[in-house]
Amino acid sequence: MMSDSPTPLDDLLRQRETHLGKALSIAHGKPLHITHGHMQYLYEADGTRYLDLVNNVCHVGHSNPRVVEAGQRQMALLNTNTRYVYDGLTEYLGRLAATLPENLSVGFLVNSGSEANELAVRIARAHTGAHDMVVVEGAYHGHTGMLIDLSPYKFRGAGGKGEPEPWVHVVPIPDIYRGGERDYAAEMGEIVANTASIAGFLVESMLSCAGQIPLPPGYLSSAFEHVRAAGGLCIVDEVQVGFGRIGTHMWAFEEHGVVPDIVVMGKPMGNGHPMAAVFTTPEIAASFEEMEFFSTFGGNPVSCAIGMAVLDAIEEDGLMQRATELGARFVEGLRELQEQYPVIGDVRGRGLFLGVELVRDRKTQEPATGEAASIVNDMRERNVLLSTDGPHHNVIKIKPPMVLSKGDVDMTLHLLNESLNQSL
Ligand SMILES: Cc1ncc(COP(=O)(O)O)c(C=O)c1O
């Protein structure tokens, strides 16, 4: 039985040594022993409060009471699987479909972003009869065997084999800050044109691991044209950026005026309860009917109740509007800091999905990787949790629970100013 009083940190670390593989690292450098969370805050056993600016899973707030209540109520009533008929499943799928372009009406519910991306690729292969895939440099799409092969972030990183599999085609990161204003879509078009046949293009609607990069205007629409001309499907991975995080739209692809063939969603969907989904058109779904599809837990009544409560919270608590307003406030403050501190090379993002790229020299753009780590560590000492990303790990990422307040933004900017002043 689990005891109510927290185990001392040293004991927990020893137990982790014994029972967890060394492939798993601990977040935020020095271990944090968190005992509870509430909305945008995490608390240590001694009551120390941290502002969480990195957890885009707890989208509507850690232990959001509305979500907790919905899960508890449904758990006490019924939990079964999608081979039975129950209101919650179809209501939830209908509600999600209503947020998407009209033709993307068929949903598959699973338990993680990895499962969803894997399923999306299988569906694309079934529909096109082709096998090859196109992905963007620096991308991470999941931890299964197939997705490691489709994640340059992994296969080029520590422990990876370095080069892509022959069926994986990697296109450049459309990064205007580092790569300049090039025609990135034309470059991807050339790569697609030189490939015999492709099943699909798997792309995040805004790049996360590649460095918190909004796609340049026009990129997705021309890239989709190239992919479709080659017979492939366009799959957008909204696992990090979806569910209204960008503020202006529910889904980040909408900003680009495109309609994907397949949309993949995950992380914030269950606010920490494991949920993910793939949505596609009836025609594409029909190509995937030959083999039975079933996920034991995907779409169970408890998950549907939780997913519904997350959608209620986004809507009724006006969280997209809040993301727009607070994102703008953050960007304005960060740009003021950029004027003061040459180490801030770029400030970018949409809504509450932001990146602050640190460089040693604005001309050479030498990545300030150590400096980014120092700031993140220093901010943790000031009780604000941040982390870094991007191919050079020099981009400080901000993607907090969407229940953040103006006061949290102002306090963060104030502390960042102090940190930049004192720790670099
Ligand atoms: C963009 C993106 N896609 C997919 C995944 C995989 O999701 P999961 O960890 O839920 O399997 C992640 C996880 O970090 C992700 O960032």
Side-chain angles (χ1 to χ4, degrees):
M1 213 176 75
M2 297 235 268
S3 107
D4 279 348
S5 58
T7 312
L9 177 61
D10 285 349
D11 291 354
L12 287 180
L13 292 175
R14 263 194 303 278
Q15 288 166 20
R16 283 178 73 102
E17 282 281 309
T18 311
H19 298 300
L20 292 174
K22 304 288 178 290
L24 176 69
S25 62
I26 277 188
H28 309 295
K30 203 165 80 188
L32 268 179
H33 182 188
I34 297 297
T35 52
H36 61 289
H38 183 69
M39 303 312 262
Q40 65 271 48
Y41 303 112
L42 289 172
Y43 295 84
E44 279 188 310
D46 65 2
T48 307
R49 188 181 87 169
Y50 291 87
L51 174 63
D52 180 357
L53 291 185
V54 283
N55 199 331
N56 60 345
V57 174
C58 296
H59 198 60
V60 300
H62 290 279
S63 304
N64 180 305
R66 185 201 296 260
V67 178
V68 171
E69 197 270 331
Q72 287 176 336
R73 189 165 15 95
Q74 185 60 46
M75 217 184 284
L77 193 65
L78 169 76
N79 203 9
T80 177
N81 66 62
T82 47
R83 284 209 172 98
Y84 296 86
V85 178
Y86 41 92
D87 294 4
L89 173 65
T90 32
E91 264 174 36
Y92 182 53
L93 284 169
R95 177 116 178 246
L96 274 179
T99 69
L100 291 164
E102 206 180 333
N103 206 25
L104 294 169
S105 55
V106 182
F108 299 79
L109 296 173
V110 290
N111 315 286
S112 70
S114 300
E115 262 182 84
N117 271 331
E118 177 108 11
L119 180 61
V121 174
R122 286 180 56 211
I123 292 172
R125 284 178 172 166
H127 186 71
T128 59
H131 192 77
D132 286 19
M133 292 292 302
V134 180
V135 290
V136 176
E137 191 62 81
Y140 174 68
H141 293 293
H143 65 79
T144 63
M146 183 213 282
L147 293 171
I148 295 293
D149 287 342
L150 286 171
S151 298
Y153 183 79
K154 283 290 187 193
F155 68 70
R156 295 216 203 277
K161 50 181 179 250
E163 287 307 310
E165 290 288 319
W167 55 273
V168 178
H169 308 277
V170 183
V171 298
I173 302 177
D175 178 356
I176 287 175
Y177 175 66
R178 281 198 170 267
E181 301 257 2
R182 304 189 332 236
D183 190 345
Y184 292 98
E187 288 176 37
M188 90 80 82
E190 257 176 57
I191 293 174
V192 169
N194 287 327
T195 304
S197 69
I198 64 163
F201 175 39
L202 176 58
V203 61
E204 285 186 273
S205 313
M206 192 175 341
L207 310 184
S208 55
C209 286
Q212 304 285 107
I213 298 175
L215 296 174
Y219 175 79
L220 265 195
S221 54
S222 344
F224 280 16
E225 276 175 29
H226 291 300
V227 173
R228 286 176 174 146
L233 297 189
C234 301
I235 307 170
V236 292
D237 179 340
E238 291 266 350
V239 167
Q240 291 255 4
V241 296
F243 287 92
R245 177 158 293 280
I246 71 163
T248 49
H249 299 84
M250 182 72 167
W251 307 106
F253 70 79
E254 291 178 277
E255 195 196 1
H256 299 274
V258 295
V259 177
D261 301 300
I262 302 179
V263 177
V264 176
M265 47 190 86
K267 285 189 193 286
M269 194 166 170
N271 209 46
H273 179 80
M275 292 179 71
V278 175
F279 270 82
T280 190
T281 67
E283 297 73 30
I284 294 172
S287 310
F288 193 65
E289 280 171 4
E290 211 169 310
M291 183 186 282
E292 165 93 11
F293 167 78
F294 175 65
S295 161
T296 301
F297 302 121
N300 71 69
V302 172
S303 297
C304 290
I306 287 175
M308 204 65 132
V310 171
L311 293 176
D312 286 343
I314 295 171
E315 251 176 60
E316 290 166 24
D317 300 342
L319 297 185
M320 288 173 64
Q321 179 67 22
R322 190 186 284 231
T324 305
E325 284 167 16
L326 297 187
R329 196 178 185 95
F330 246 135
V331 167
E332 195 188 322
L334 291 168
R335 296 228 159 107
E336 277 169 26
L337 292 177
Q338 187 180 17
E339 280 172 24
Q340 233 177 303
Y341 298 99
V343 74
I344 302 183
D346 194 31
V347 173
R348 56 182 177 248
R350 300 277 187 277
L352 286 175
F353 192 79
L354 304 171
V356 182
E357 177 148 3
L358 300 194
V359 290
R360 297 213 169 114
D361 177 321
R362 285 192 181 170
K363 277 213 179 72
T364 63
Q365 297 183 331
E366 184 190 344
T369 305
E371 291 83 342
S374 300
I375 295 290
V376 167
N377 290 338
D378 183 68
M379 286 295 282
R380 176 219 149 104
E381 297 304 319
R382 298 171 196 266
N383 297 2
V384 176
L385 302 180
L386 288 162
S387 66
T388 58
D389 228 325
H392 311 288
H393 301 283
N394 66 326
V395 181
I396 297 178
K397 57 182 172 183
I398 298 176
K399 48 186 184 92
M402 305 251 287
V403 289
L404 208 67
S405 71
K406 280 184 189 157
D408 296 323
V409 176
D410 295 346
M411 181 192 72
T412 302
L413 291 167
H414 172 76
L415 294 175
L416 260 179
N417 188 11
E418 280 185 5
S419 182
L420 284 157
N421 210 348
Q422 292 165 15
S423 63
L424 293 190

